[in-house]
Amino acid sequence: MRKTHRFARIAYLLLIALLALAQPALAADAEQSPFRLPELPYAVNALEPAIDARTMEIHHGRHHRAYVDNLNAKLVDFPALADSSIESVLAKVSTFDAAVRNNGGGHYNHSLFWEFMAPVGKTGEPSAELVAAINKDFGSLDAFKKAFSEAGAKQFGSGWAWLIRQEDGSLAVTATANQDNPLMDVVATRGTPLLAVDVWEHAYYLQYQNKRVDYLAQWWSVVNWNAVNARFEN
Ligand code: MN
């Protein structure tokens, strides 16, 4: 009898010790929601004059933050989100609901968008390999830029224009509505994003008002070709 009691006591102490060890980890998990707002890779005014500091502040600090917060809020309905990369969620986004589609897309698209821009002088140039691929599929770098800007200008309402690499290796320009993107299993043309521009009014309205075409023209001055080259090589 005494032996059983001692065993029970040891088991009980072990359990307490394990719970004490597990507690900080559980607390950290609660704090560390799986989806995080990335820091901007430059100061909010670093893209001026193409994009003003106030637009960057609101766009990153409020719009992108809201997509992250709203996506994390969906963990209640879809606990599997906690163990998923954003890319894998988007690849089967049709199995979730509209909020995951909109906010998951919003989080992914903006994370890319910040990386796809850099201050003037730090943007680099398209690599020889990228230029060769662009020449092959669009005729010239200028023809590609024209097609990309037109896709952004013609996107009715909110959305994005993309340069993607398709499964067969060819490059293509596409546009998506709202926060959809080429990784999603719900869009017409799928592929790996190499470059993207946000044509939601919140991306340009403070500075350009309704002149989306002017925003797109200025935007090329801050396109981070180093980032595009790196994605193209991978
Ligand atoms: Mn945006």
Side-chain angles (χ1 to χ4, degrees), residues 7 12 14 17 22 51 55-56 61 68 76-77 88 100 112 124-125 128 150 152 156 164 202 213 216 218 226 234:
F7 176 77
Y12 174 76
L14 265 173
I51 302 179
T55 295
M56 290 301 293
V68 172
V76 177
D77 300 327
S88 68
V100 171
L112 283 184
E125 295 289 334
E150 272 178 14
F156 185 76
I164 60 169
H202 69 223
V213 170
L216 287 167
Q218 294 306 311
N226 295 324
N234 286 334

Side-chain angles (χ1 to χ4, degrees), residues 23-36:
Q23 204 55 41
L26 290 173
D29 275 352
E31 254 169 51
Q32 248 179 19
S33 300
F35 304 105
R36 314 293 302 265

Side-chain angles (χ1 to χ4, degrees), residues 59 63 67 110 160 179 198 200 202-203:
H59 200 175
H63 290 276
Y67 298 126
H110 288 85
W160 295 73
Q179 296 297 355
D198 188 343
W200 282 59
H202 69 223

